[in-house]
Each structure stands twice: as structure tokens, then as C-alpha cells.
Amino acid sequence: MFEVVANIRLRNRWALIAIALLISVSVSLMQYFFSVQKNDANIINIAGKQRMLSQKIAWHGDKLLTSQVPSTSHQQSLDASLSLFKANHQYLLLKNDNGQYKYLSPELIKLYMQSPIELDLRVQKFIQQVEGLLYKQEKINPDVFSVKRMEGLLKYLDQAVGLFEKASVKKVAWVSSAELFFWLLTMLLLIGVLRFVFIPMEKQITKALLKYQQQKDFAQQVSKNKEHFIARASHEFRTPLQGFVTSIDSLEVSNSQKSIKTQASYCASRIIAMLDELQDLQALSLGRWALKPSNENLLQSFNKVLLGYEFGYNQKGIALVRALDSTLDQAIKLDHQRFQQVLAELVGNALKFTEEGSVTVKACVSNKQLTVTITDTGSGLTKPVSRSTFDSSNQNNHFQGLRTGLARVQYIVDAFDGNIVFENTSPNGVRVTLKMPVVIDESAPSFSALLPINMHCLVVEDNPLNMHILTRILSQLNYSYECAKNGKVACEMATKNEYQVIFMDLNMPIMDGFEAIKKIRIFDANTPIIVVTANTSTEDMKLVYEYGASGHIHKPICKQAIVEELVNVCISSGTN
């Protein structure tokens, strides 16, 4: 594209320079034309005055000759007219430095200087005779001012005026022809610019745009394929993980087996974390990301993360020191899941780069601000941490994992309107300080208080394990339920029975959740439908809401997620 622009720019510059030169020449010719017109008009005016002055001189001279008493007024007028007549005649016959006449054309030179007319000589004799009369230098022939003599002089003066006008017309014609020539040349150049600059430029730009549009379409298709792959892979992983996590939580083990349960819980949480990383990376790269705040106990959010890392710290022999203030033990409104991701990334990095010693996690809430400090005794930072450090493309191969953690941390912290600082400590180690505003809603009722009672639910799920987990949670909430193994069965049951809420999976045989939602909404527009799926595709989530879904939950599910979504959709729909 840059080569196309450079080529077009070069052609355009030369075309503009040529046009500018032609326009400049045309303007110069116009200025010359105006100057010639002005000068020729002055010359023609002087030549015309010569006729008038010769008549005036003849009249005053005749009066002086025929008058018995000298007239001062005639004498003064004759003197003034003669002086002007002489000056004009000399001006018309001016020569340049090369000795050539400035205002006389070849025809005028012939008229003034060559026989048989020799107008210059005639004028000189006329001037000489008038001067003799005026200054009494010699005897004057009375016929000098006769009508016949004056008609001959006026005839040649008229001829001179005509020749001056003819010369002026020739100059104007020449300048006009030159202007027309340059105008035609400019038009030809413009046509050439259109033919050899703009038309090729249009073709090159069209070709380049087509090429880049194809590349854009290919990149969008690759991005869409990647999104679908990640969504599908996430779905396939989360479905068995649901049962794995629930089974671990349900295990009752002896004290000697608690470390094994902790290890299994740690491994499961790491797999879920990696799936979240892939999902978040896709969402961040497409700009499809937003916080989902909820009122939860902040201390429990800390404990969930730190409990999951206890096994890793114990296995490496690193002490995980907690200094969690009592101000954390209250309901705080924020996106707890995203905050836990940030905390897990920072605690995980501290473990990764600390070979011995301890990692201290200190946190408190003060003046509606959460301050978290994580201090390790590792090797420290080799260089200051900037925003570019969070870009996974700038990280070297020393980092483990998917190499998306720090980038996700920065996105989430920015969304929280928070600030994160990395600094070395003495004698070694790194201190990470996270500060972010929080909202404390002491008057907010608990989710349990907002939950509807005596609800009868329809669970649509083809996977027996997922159906078992969801129905067990509903039983814990004292809700009754019925089950359908696909969308077709669900539609038949929804037409016959009344349900307060429907839990709908998306990927099922015979009839999937998308089609089932559309069909149910034909005859039932009010019953809340909560989508329960491992599908994380943004396009699919947008589609289910267009079909009539009321909310959604991503697998693996937990009781807290079910409670929150039930409260949200039931409040929106007015279900009691």
C-alpha cells in the first residue's frame, strides 16, 4: 500500500508542477497582455492627439498671420500646443539602447522615414515654420496654414493613427493566440493527468483495497474460526470438569487424605483458570469484555484463591503468609470473579519466581478503597515494569503457562479504575501494590432473602452428570423440578405444565436449546429461561438473548452462580 501511495504521490507532484508552471505562464501572459494594451492605448492616444494639435496649431497660426494686432492669447495657445506637439512627436520616435524604434512598426517606419511620404520630415518642417511665426525668426509663407496644406498633413497623421492601431491589434492577437495555446496545453495536461495519474491511481487503489479487503476477510474468518474453536474446546473441557469439581467438593476424606483432596482441587482450579485465560484472551482481543459486579463477601473471595494455591506453596516449600484485615469480611460490590483472577495471577507469579522464603498477602479496605500488597522474597525485577511488559508478545520464553496473565491483569485493573505498581524490595524480592475503589452496600439484602420460594423448575440437559449437579443444587434451595433430555421434550412439557423457571442447555441432540427457546417463546413469553452452557461464544450468547433467553450461566456451575442468576431474572420478570 505504501508503494502505491508513493508512486501516486510522485506522479501527482510532477503533474501539479507542470500545471502550476502552465498557469504561471498563462497569468504572466495575461499581465503582459494588459501591459501591452495599456501602452498601446497610450501610444494611440498620443498619435490621435497629434491630429488635434496640428489643427489647433493651424487655427492659432492663421489668426496670428491674419491679425493686424498681435494677440497674446493666440500666441500663448500656439506656444503650448506646439510644445506638446513636438514632445509627442519625439515620444513616438523614441529608440531603445539598440537604436531600434520602440513604438514604430515596419509600416510606420516606412510612413515616417521613407519617401514618398516622409511624415517625420513633413512634421519637422511644419514645426519649423510654426516656430518661425511664433518667434519671428523668418518670413512665413501665408499658405503654410492653408486648408490644402493642412489636409495633406492630417491625412498622413490619420494614416499613422491607423497603423498604430493595426500594430496594437496584431500584438493583442499574438497574445490571445499564446493564451489559447497555453490553455489548450493545460487542458491536454489535465487530460494526461486524468489518463496517466488519476485513472491508474484509481485502479491501483481499487486493487490495493480489494487485496486488503481479502486479507481483512481472511483475518476475520481466522478470528471467527479461532473463537468457535475456543468456545467448542471450552465446552468440551468444562462439561467433564463440572462433575470433577463437584465430586471433589463432595468428598469426605480423613485427615491423612486431605492433602490429596487439596492437590486434586488445585489441579482442577488450574485447568479452569487456563480455560478462563483462553476465553478472556479471545474476549479482550475482540473488545467484548465488561465487568459483572455482584455483592459478595470479599474475605471469601480472598480465601477461595489462597486456598487453591496452598498445595502449590506447600509442595515448593514456600510459606504463604496471610495478613487479611477484618474490614474484608463484608459484602463488597464488584466483579468478584475478575478480582479473583487478578489475585490468582499475582499470587501465582509470586510462587513461580520465588525459590525460597515466603510470600505475604496483605489486604484491607479503608475509605472505600481496597489495598492489596503481595510481597515475595524472590529474585526481584531486572528492569522497571511498564505497560509494554503486560503484552504477551514482549515476554520471553522464561514465562510458563499461556503467557496471557499479566495482560489480563492490566485490562481488569483498568476496568476497575484501579492502579497496580511493581517495585523491588530490599534486600531482594518484589512488592506488588494494587489499589482500587470498592462499593460497600451495607443495606443490600442477601441473595437468599431475595430468592423466590416454592418454585417449580424445568431442567433441560442431555448430560446425566450435569443434570444431577443442577438438580442437586435446586434441591438444596428447596425447589421442585422436572427434567427433559432435549429441546423437543422440553417444548412438549412446557405446553402441558406450568414452570416458574426453565434451565436450558444449548448443545443437545434432536432439538438444541436455540430452537427450543424460539418454540417456547411462541406460546410462553413470560417464563424466565436461564441458559446453562459451556459455550462461551459471544455470538451464540447474543443469539440466545435474541431468541428470548432471560439470563445465562457458564459451566462449571456452582450454587452461588445459580442463586445470583435466579435473583436477577426473577426480579426482572416479577416472579415471586
Side-chain angles (χ1 to χ4, degrees):
M1 188 65 180
F2 291 108
E3 294 179 359
V4 173
V5 173
N7 187 21
I8 293 171
R9 185 186 294 120
L10 181 62
R11 292 187 183 184
N12 208 30
R13 283 177 178 174
W14 282 113
L16 289 175
I17 290 173
I19 292 173
L21 288 175
L22 287 175
I23 292 175
S24 300
V25 171
S26 298
V27 171
S28 299
L29 283 173
M30 290 180 65
Q31 294 295 327
Y32 174 72
F33 171 74
F34 292 140
S35 175
V36 167
Q37 279 192 322
K38 181 179 179 181
N39 188 55
D40 286 351
N42 183 48
I43 296 297
I44 294 170
N45 184 47
I46 290 174
K49 280 184 178 180
Q50 291 297 82
R51 297 168 52 201
M52 179 193 69
L53 288 172
S54 64
Q55 291 174 328
K56 190 175 183 180
I57 291 171
W59 184 76
H60 286 293
D62 185 66
K63 289 294 183 182
L64 287 177
L65 280 175
T66 59
S67 177
Q68 299 296 327
V69 180
S71 174
T72 306
S73 62
H74 285 297
Q75 190 172 7
Q76 289 177 348
S77 297
L78 181 60
D79 186 27
S81 299
L82 180 62
S83 297
L84 185 56
F85 185 81
K86 285 175 61 177
N88 288 345
H89 183 70
Q90 292 172 359
Y91 184 80
L92 293 175
L93 300 182
L94 281 176
K95 295 182 178 181
N96 55 26
D97 295 337
N98 297 327
Q100 297 177 342
Y101 291 104
K102 296 173 66 175
Y103 308 118
L104 299 184
S105 65
E107 292 177 323
L108 283 166
I109 293 175
K110 183 178 180 180
L111 176 68
Y112 271 91
M113 303 302 174
Q114 298 177 10
S115 59
I117 299 175
E118 294 181 329
L119 181 58
D120 179 43
L121 183 60
R122 290 174 184 270
V123 170
Q124 293 294 342
K125 287 181 178 181
F126 178 72
I127 291 172
Q128 184 179 2
Q129 289 174 349
V130 174
E131 285 179 342
L133 172 64
L134 185 61
Y135 304 121
K136 308 296 183 181
Q137 295 177 347
E138 59 183 39
K139 187 177 179 180
I140 302 301
N141 184 0
D143 294 335
V144 70
F145 300 119
S146 65
V147 174
K148 184 178 180 181
R149 294 277 298 271
M150 290 307 299
E151 282 181 349
L153 181 60
L154 288 173
K155 174 185 175 182
Y156 297 127
L157 289 175
D158 282 339
Q159 190 176 349
V161 172
L163 292 175
F164 276 116
E165 290 176 345
K166 182 179 178 181
S168 176
V169 170
K170 285 184 178 180
K171 290 180 182 178
V172 171
W174 180 87
V175 174
S176 299
S177 299
E179 285 184 340
L180 179 61
F181 170 75
F182 281 103
W183 179 82
L184 291 174
L185 191 60
T186 304
M187 291 299 102
L188 288 174
L189 183 59
L190 287 175
I191 293 173
V193 170
L194 178 64
R195 172 64 180 83
F196 297 105
V197 176
F198 289 106
I199 292 178
M201 176 175 64
E202 181 182 2
K203 291 181 179 179
Q204 287 182 335
I205 291 176
T206 302
K207 183 178 179 181
L209 289 178
L210 180 61
K211 175 184 176 182
Y212 287 107
Q213 182 62 42
Q214 292 173 345
Q215 293 178 349
K216 179 182 177 182
D217 293 341
F218 177 75
Q220 289 177 342
Q221 185 62 43
V222 170
S223 177
K224 187 176 294 186
N225 292 341
K226 182 178 70 172
E227 181 182 3
H228 289 165
F229 172 76
I230 292 176
R232 192 66 191 173
S234 176
H235 177 274
E236 295 302 322
F237 275 108
R238 289 175 189 272
T239 299
L241 272 175
Q242 173 71 72
F244 186 42
V245 172
T246 305
S247 300
I248 293 174
D249 293 339
S250 302
L251 284 177
E252 294 181 2
V253 297
S254 62
N255 292 334
S256 61
Q257 294 176 319
K258 282 186 177 180
S259 61
I260 300 176
K261 180 179 178 180
T262 302
Q263 181 179 1
S265 178
Y266 171 77
C267 294
S269 65
R270 289 303 301 148
I271 295 174
I272 294 174
M274 285 189 290
L275 290 175
D276 289 338
E277 284 187 34
L278 286 173
Q279 180 181 340
D280 284 348
L281 179 62
Q282 181 69 10
L284 292 173
S285 63
L286 297 175
R288 303 170 183 171
W289 185 82
L291 294 175
K292 297 179 180 179
S294 60
N295 280 314
E296 295 184 31
N297 187 282
L298 187 57
L299 182 61
Q300 291 181 6
S301 293
F302 273 90
N303 288 333
K304 284 181 182 178
V305 175
L306 298 180
L307 181 63
Y309 277 94
E310 280 186 352
F311 173 77
Y313 275 83
N314 292 334
Q315 191 177 45
K316 198 172 181 179
I318 307 297
L320 179 59
V321 181
R322 307 185 189 192
L324 305 179
D325 193 77
S326 60
T327 55
L328 302 179
D329 191 13
Q330 57 181 324
I332 301 294
K333 187 175 183 180
L334 79 158
D335 192 329
H336 285 264
Q337 182 180 0
R338 294 297 185 184
F339 173 72
Q340 290 172 23
Q341 289 176 355
V342 172
L343 183 62
E345 183 65 30
L346 298 178
V347 172
N349 272 347
L351 172 63
K352 187 186 303 181
F353 296 107
T354 302
E355 298 300 328
E356 59 181 1
S358 63
V359 174
T360 303
V361 180
K362 183 178 180 182
C364 68
V365 175
S366 178
N367 297 324
K368 296 184 178 181
Q369 178 175 271
L370 170 62
T371 303
V372 181
T373 304
I374 301 175
T375 308
D376 63 52
T377 57
S379 57
L381 300 170
T382 58
K383 61 181 180 179
V385 176
S386 61
R387 291 189 69 92
S388 62
T389 309
F390 296 99
D391 187 356
S392 62
S393 63
N394 292 331
Q395 299 176 15
N396 58 42
N397 292 328
H398 178 67
F399 293 90
Q400 302 175 14
L402 300 178
R403 299 173 60 190
T404 63
L406 289 179
R408 291 166 59 244
V409 165
Q410 188 61 60
Y411 274 105
I412 297 171
V413 171
D414 287 345
F416 279 136
D417 292 327
N419 181 50
I420 187 168
V421 178
F422 294 78
E423 55 186 346
N424 283 320
T425 60
S426 181
N428 60 310
V430 175
R431 178 168 56 245
V432 182
T433 303
L434 169 64
K435 295 183 178 181
M436 49 184 281
V438 294
V439 177
I440 304 172
D441 191 359
E442 299 176 353
S443 62
S446 64
F447 279 104
S448 299
L450 295 174
L451 271 177
I453 58 175
N454 299 326
M455 291 186 68
H456 186 51
C457 309
L458 175 61
V459 179
V460 187
E461 173 66 65
D462 65 318
N463 187 288
L465 177 60
N466 289 335
M467 183 179 290
H468 171 72
I469 294 170
L470 181 54
T471 54
R472 188 179 65 180
I473 294 175
L474 294 177
S475 298
Q476 293 173 358
L477 297 174
N478 296 319
Y479 292 161
S480 60
Y481 57 84
E482 294 181 18
C483 300
K485 59 183 179 180
N486 58 60
K488 182 179 180 181
V489 175
C491 291
E492 294 172 354
M493 296 176 67
T495 57
K496 298 176 182 179
N497 306 310
E498 182 178 349
Y499 303 101
Q500 278 69 53
V501 66
I502 299 174
F503 293 91
M504 180 73 68
D505 186 24
L506 292 181
N507 298 318
M508 296 178 292
I510 303 177
M511 182 185 291
D512 61 23
F514 297 96
E515 189 67 22
I517 293 173
K518 284 197 297 182
K519 289 186 176 296
I520 291 174
R521 284 302 181 220
I522 294 175
F523 58 83
D524 184 355
N526 299 320
T527 302
I529 300 178
I530 299 175
V531 172
V532 183
T533 181
N535 188 340
T536 58
S537 171
T538 306
E539 292 183 0
D540 288 345
M541 291 300 99
K542 181 180 178 180
L543 194 61
V544 295
Y545 281 105
E546 291 178 357
Y547 289 164
S550 307
H552 74 277
I553 304 170
H554 284 305
K555 298 175 183 177
I557 59 175
C558 61
K559 182 179 179 179
Q560 182 66 29
I562 295 293
V563 170
E564 289 180 7
E565 199 59 38
L566 277 172
V567 170
N568 290 334
V569 301
C570 290
I571 290 177
S572 300
S573 63
T575 304
N576 295 321

